[in-house]
């Protein structure tokens, strides 16, 4: 199943710099691992915001929830999820 996920990060201003750096390092490694596995298909930064739009390709809602809640930044995020399916008027059968 494909999901459109908007993630907005709200790091506390009083979070120590070394703790922030460590969380961001773990977040990058985790997200890149999911991208390499093909589960996190696309990620785009939203200009002017500490946010992204991503496309996930997972088996079901439970898998998506498990992946998102595993994000090191999860507790600092506002997340919006929209399930996607191919439109009948699409001219391609893939994501090109």
């Amino acid at each position: 199943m494909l999901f459109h996920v908007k993630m907005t990060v709200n790091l506390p201003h009083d979070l120590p710099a070394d703790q922030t750096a460590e969380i961001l390092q773990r977040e990058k490694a985790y997200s890149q691992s999911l991208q390499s596995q093909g589960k996190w298909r696309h990620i785009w930064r939203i200009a002017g915001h500490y946010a992204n739009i991503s496309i996930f390709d997972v088996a079901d809602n439970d898998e998506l929830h498990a992946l998102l809640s595993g994000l090191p930044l999860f507790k600092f995020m506002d997340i919006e999820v929209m399930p996607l399916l191919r439109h009948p008027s699409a001219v391609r059968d893939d994501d090109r």
Side-chain angles (χ1 to χ4, degrees):
M1 293 182 71
L2 294 178
F3 292 90
H4 169 282
V5 180
K6 180 182 179 187
M7 294 176 256
T8 303
V9 180
N10 302 296
L11 284 173
H13 297 289
D14 59 349
L15 193 63
D18 60 332
Q19 195 174 355
T20 299
E22 187 269 332
I23 292 169
L24 294 175
Q25 181 181 30
R26 287 190 296 120
E27 180 82 8
K28 183 175 183 176
Y30 182 74
S31 69
Q32 288 181 340
S33 172
L34 293 175
Q35 290 174 64
S36 294
Q37 295 172 45
K39 296 193 179 283
W40 195 325
R41 280 255 198 110
H42 303 280
I43 183 170
W44 293 276
R45 176 166 284 166
I46 301 172
H49 298 271
Y50 195 176
N52 72 73
I53 298 290
S54 294
I55 303 297
F56 283 82
D57 187 359
V58 294
D60 53 29
N61 294 329
D62 290 333
E63 183 180 12
L64 179 66
H65 180 76
L67 295 179
L68 294 176
S69 61
L71 290 165
L73 286 172
F74 179 75
K75 67 182 179 180
F76 304 116
M77 290 182 169
D78 293 322
I79 299 176
E80 299 173 34
V81 175
M82 289 184 278
L84 302 173
L85 61 139
R86 186 148 315 277
H87 194 282
S89 295
V91 296
R92 293 184 187 91
D93 292 332
D94 58 19
D95 293 329
R96 292 180 297 148

